[in-house]
Amino acid sequence: MSAPTTRGILAIGIALLLPGLAVGQPAPRTPVATTPHFAFYSDFETNLNDALVNMGLARKGAKPELFHAGAEATCFEALAPSVRAGWNGAVDYYAQIISPAGWNARQQYLLRMQLVGFEAEAKAMDGAEFVELARNFRAVAAPAYRACRWTAQDEQNRSWLAEIQPKLAASEAKLTHRLEQLYQATWKKLPVLVDLVETVDWSGANTSWSDAGQGDVLISSTVGGAPGFETLLHESSHVLMDRSNPVPVALAKAAKAADFKLPGDLWHVVLFYTTGEAVRPILDEGAATPYSPMLYEIFKRGSWAEYREALEKEWLPYVQGKRSLDEAATALVAAVKAQKAK
């Protein structure tokens, strides 16, 4: 085990000596916009956590970081040494403890649950001390982030939202009803919470939900327009694809009848395809060129391309209302099994 750096020791000292910075419940979150199905947030604490997670990865991989170039670097260098040390120490801590874990691993999941207000889920994982320590590191990182990054990030988040709001206002009711029909499930608790941040992770978006079934979508505000709109609906559809819901149950039942082990990624491909086809006609309206759902871009990269023919031949009839869910699941599983046997 390597010895901690002087900067790391300083930040640990700051965090442990000033626990009062973050003790107690987090400040109430206020959405910047709400609709019948969604509550959108540009939340300072959540964006700070996203920045620290990704800067921890950058530092660990010796890649470019915030505050190292351009106007942000000038701003950062003008800050008090203690403020700069707070930021750098927090990045060191995240780089060692939080960032290397995946977004659904315990380290990041606990912070996600606390930040969004799903405190019961965080407490159930017995992570109070871990959550509090991370909260203290964010507290010492906050002054630098607020001074040199937050205004621009908040503007970017709100710009993303302003771009998709007209399409959402025109089609939300129709589209959400359509998704509930296709997945044969309803959102258990609304609104779905949507947190706009800079990066998220390599995928640009992910979804978690509470035990009560309320979803929280974390989505990058760097990709807007039609792809951003589809991403929003794709992520919120995850809540309708819980393993006990009709579509995954139908796929599992069909696989058992066919004596076939379902590929671990098939459910996600089905979700991409189903939501993509649901939003396609809406995103086609008024577009200069026909909209191509995100899954087709993934096919072009070679990922999941083996499933394309089976989806278009056996699952599309279900989306079009020409085949029942059980019939489509049986046909899709048979086609995938035959493909895997080649």
Side-chain angles (χ1 to χ4, degrees):
M1 181 177 177
S2 61
T5 63
T6 301
R7 188 171 63 194
I9 292 171
L10 175 61
I12 291 170
I14 293 171
L16 295 180
L17 288 172
L18 299 177
L21 283 170
V23 169
Q25 296 296 319
R29 286 159 44 94
T30 303
V32 295
T34 59
T35 72
H37 278 78
F38 302 103
F40 295 93
Y41 294 83
S42 181
D43 177 65
F44 175 83
E45 190 83 359
T46 302
N47 278 266
L48 173 58
N49 185 70
D50 178 73
L52 287 170
V53 167
N54 286 286
M55 290 310 98
L57 287 175
R59 182 163 295 178
K60 198 170 183 66
K63 295 181 179 179
E65 298 182 31
L66 285 177
F67 312 143
H68 282 208
E72 288 183 351
T74 302
C75 174
F76 188 74
E77 288 303 315
L79 298 175
S82 59
V83 174
R84 298 198 304 271
W87 172 263
N88 281 315
V91 173
D92 278 342
Y93 176 76
Y94 268 68
Q96 294 177 48
I97 306 300
I98 296 172
S99 302
W103 69 270
N104 58 352
R106 183 176 186 272
Q107 294 93 318
Q108 292 191 37
Y109 181 78
L110 277 168
L111 302 188
R112 172 81 167 272
M113 294 297 98
Q114 178 261 320
L115 286 164
V116 76
F118 296 163
E119 295 285 350
E121 284 71 17
K123 289 178 181 177
M125 296 181 72
D126 193 27
E129 183 177 16
F130 178 82
V131 166
E132 192 63 28
L133 184 57
R135 190 185 292 176
N136 285 329
F137 272 106
R138 290 197 303 274
V140 297
Y145 185 76
R146 189 180 297 279
C148 298
R149 178 61 188 171
W150 173 236
T151 298
Q153 184 58 52
D154 185 43
E155 289 176 355
Q156 177 180 295
N157 295 342
R158 292 169 186 264
S159 177
W160 182 97
L161 178 58
E163 189 176 14
I164 72 159
Q165 276 183 308
K167 184 68 71 177
L168 197 59
S171 60
E172 179 181 359
K174 177 181 177 181
L175 185 50
T176 53
H177 177 67
R178 176 70 172 137
L179 290 172
E180 288 182 333
Q181 284 182 319
L182 288 170
Y183 291 105
Q184 299 189 21
T186 59
W187 283 279
K188 294 179 182 179
K189 187 172 182 180
L190 294 173
V192 175
L193 311 179
V194 182
D195 276 289
L196 303 172
V197 297
E198 170 71 14
T199 306
V200 184
D201 57 19
W202 63 268
S203 67
N206 58 53
T207 303
S208 295
W209 51 92
S210 69
D211 290 341
Q214 184 170 36
D216 174 63
V217 173
L218 199 63
I219 187 168
S220 171
S221 58
T222 60
V223 179
F229 184 83
E230 184 186 349
T231 300
L232 171 65
L233 275 300
H234 168 89
E235 290 300 328
S236 58
S237 294
H238 272 271
V239 185
L240 305 178
M241 272 286 274
D242 195 7
R243 66 182 61 188
S244 61
N245 282 354
V247 172
V249 166
L251 292 171
K253 178 182 174 183
K256 183 177 181 180
D259 191 26
F260 176 61
K261 183 178 180 180
L262 278 178
D265 56 1
L266 184 60
W267 70 270
H268 204 186
V269 183
V270 168
L271 188 151
F272 262 102
Y273 189 82
T274 304
T275 299
E277 290 303 315
V279 303
R280 184 201 289 267
I282 289 171
L283 294 176
D284 273 346
E285 294 175 7
T289 58
Y291 181 72
S292 177
M294 292 187 295
L295 183 58
Y296 285 88
E297 295 304 311
I298 298 174
F299 287 155
K300 290 177 183 177
R301 299 198 297 265
S303 302
W304 295 342
E306 63 182 309
Y307 297 124
R308 179 172 179 170
E309 182 178 351
L311 288 164
E312 292 177 338
K313 182 179 178 182
E314 310 297 356
W315 194 256
L316 181 58
Y318 169 67
V319 176
Q320 295 173 332
K322 300 175 181 178
R323 181 179 280 175
S324 72
L325 174 58
D326 286 340
E327 289 170 341
T330 298
L332 179 63
V333 166
V336 172
K337 181 179 180 180
Q339 176 68 29
K340 293 289 187 182
K342 291 181 179 180

